[in-house]
Amino acid sequence: MRIRAVTVFGAPVEEEIRRAGALARAAREALAAAGYEVQTLRLALPPPEPSEVPEAFLARARAQEALAQEAGFDYLSVGPVGPLAPHIPRLLAETRSVFAALALSREADARAAARVIRENAAVAPDGFANLRFAALAGVPPLCPFFPAAYHDGGPMALALATEAADLAVEAARAAQDPPAACAMIQAQVEAIGRQLGALLRPIAAAFGARFAGVDFSLAPFPEPERSIGTAIEALSGVPFGASGTLAVIAGLAAALHAADFPRTGFCGVMLPVLEDAILARRAAEGAFGLPHLLLYSAVCGTGLDTVPLPGSTPEGALIRILEDLRALSERLRKPLTARLMPIPGREPGDPVRFDFAYLAPSAVLTVPDLDMR
């Protein structure tokens, strides 16, 4: 198991960003001494004021990116930007490590998010900019995973995001049946989560910060031994997407829910299509599609993540996908996100490959109502 991110939530001022960087580095050192590999340090800020002038917002984000990099952070989140959403494509074009989001609080937000997704796809030739944008449904503050992360405006806070799909792979291979594997995972998550809390709580306090908790999610890395798809297929006995997949995902999510540790964020089974070697492979084989992912979102987190779509996907189709996600979140009262990635010039079944270590090769998924406007 690795730590995907040490995320600090702080105020958008220079002194606070520098203090946040010192806290993140201290946390990384303590985790490394305890035997944990930390991939990234991340800074999440409060959402901008709705009345902020667009040019001021963009200039401030560029300056904050520079400050965050000087403080040692790899990535910066400016949170859900509300009425400033039309300027997200420009924000992503003018920065390299800034993430942004839009909250799906009402029906009009789905239309705004769909327009942003379409315009983001043109920021880079391969549609890569949408990796740094998500539509959020019911996501609270202090979630350490990007692009969902944003600060609640209170005192500085520290949280961890795990990359723990390999724990599920190990349990699936060691246990005699799915219930035994889930029990093993619950015990491991509880023990490790408590250890991480005990380790980081005093470090946060030394910087006058809160320890918000651990988002102990079964997030993957794009290789089979760290794939949640590998674990799910081992437990179900069928390819990901076939009948039986949902039951296994629900069992894994229940194990995470039952574990007792200081928690924040999703604490769920993550199914990011392009970040998982097996999910990416099954997507290329046509083993599952968007309806499957929405179904699985009903029992796990985080929703529709890193989903490669045809570049020709119309705005209307994106709106309907986002409205479905929002409806699911509201009905089940659970946080969900959508990180949809239309790939310019690509159609269903076309290969997708990014020169990025965190993404696996796959193929464009079919959008069921692609021809509807």
Side-chain angles (χ1 to χ4, degrees):
M1 191 206 83
R2 295 187 285 201
I3 304 300
R4 172 72 61 85
V6 170
T7 303
V8 179
F9 302 84
V13 295
E14 181 174 351
E15 180 181 350
E16 186 86 343
I17 291 174
R18 296 190 187 283
R19 187 163 68 93
L23 170 56
R25 293 192 300 274
R28 179 175 59 189
E29 292 171 4
L31 288 164
Y36 293 99
E37 177 185 344
V38 176
Q39 291 180 339
T40 61
L41 303 183
R42 305 183 182 189
L43 174 65
L45 302 177
E49 293 295 328
S51 59
E52 188 166 5
V53 176
E55 288 299 328
F57 162 66
L58 293 167
R60 183 168 60 83
R62 292 192 298 267
Q64 288 167 346
E65 179 183 41
L67 287 171
Q69 290 175 342
E70 290 176 8
F73 289 105
D74 300 290
Y75 300 110
L76 167 70
S77 172
V78 296
V81 301
L84 292 164
H87 305 280
I88 289 176
R90 182 178 166 191
L91 170 69
L92 301 185
E94 294 180 355
T95 61
R96 291 294 175 266
S97 62
V98 175
F99 286 67
L102 179 62
L104 301 177
S105 303
R106 53 198 175 91
E107 188 174 341
D109 294 328
R111 183 172 299 279
R115 188 167 294 120
V116 169
I117 292 168
R118 288 279 297 167
E119 294 182 11
N120 284 347
V123 168
D126 55 5
F128 188 75
N130 269 310
L131 191 71
R132 295 191 279 136
F133 171 75
L136 312 183
V139 178
L142 306 183
C143 171
F145 277 98
F146 279 31
Y150 64 99
H151 189 24
D152 62 2
M156 184 181 292
L158 170 69
L160 296 183
T162 67
E163 184 185 284
D166 56 328
L167 295 183
V169 174
E170 294 165 4
R173 290 173 175 171
Q176 294 183 339
D177 53 38
C182 289
M184 187 181 300
I185 292 167
Q186 178 182 334
Q188 287 183 301
V189 167
E190 193 165 287
I192 297 172
R194 289 179 175 182
Q195 179 195 30
L196 292 173
L199 178 67
L200 293 181
R201 203 173 277 112
I203 294 174
F207 284 83
R210 299 169 285 166
F211 178 63
V214 181
D215 190 335
F216 213 126
S217 287
L218 302 182
F221 185 81
E223 57 188 31
E225 295 303 309
R226 297 181 181 273
S227 159
I228 191 60
T230 296
I232 293 168
E233 292 190 348
L235 293 170
S236 68
V238 296
F240 185 91
S243 296
T245 300
L246 177 66
V248 167
I249 295 172
L252 292 172
L256 294 171
H257 180 76
D260 181 16
F261 63 94
R263 61 177 61 219
T264 190
F266 299 100
C267 295
V269 182
M270 292 191 169
L271 304 174
V273 175
L274 292 179
E275 293 182 358
D276 187 288
I278 300 303
L279 268 61
R281 184 186 306 169
R282 299 294 179 244
E285 295 169 353
F288 68 90
L290 279 168
H292 293 84
L293 294 173
L294 276 171
L295 174 63
Y296 304 151
S297 295
V299 299
C300 72
T302 58
L304 304 175
D305 198 13
T306 62
V307 181
L309 300 179
S312 59
T313 304
E315 186 176 304
L318 293 172
I319 291 171
R320 286 185 287 277
I321 294 169
L322 295 172
E323 287 178 340
D324 281 350
L325 184 89
R326 183 171 71 93
L328 198 62
S329 171
E330 289 183 354
R331 183 67 183 84
L332 300 179
R333 298 181 181 179
K334 71 190 304 288
L336 294 172
T337 70
R339 190 157 45 156
L340 307 177
M341 302 180 67
I343 312 298
R346 302 295 176 89
E347 296 302 326
D350 286 349
V352 175
R353 182 183 292 271
F354 292 97
D355 185 19
F356 186 61
Y358 292 91
L359 299 183
S362 186
V364 175
L365 293 184
T366 298
V367 177
D369 57 354
L370 182 59
D371 295 328
M372 297 174 62
R373 299 298 170 184

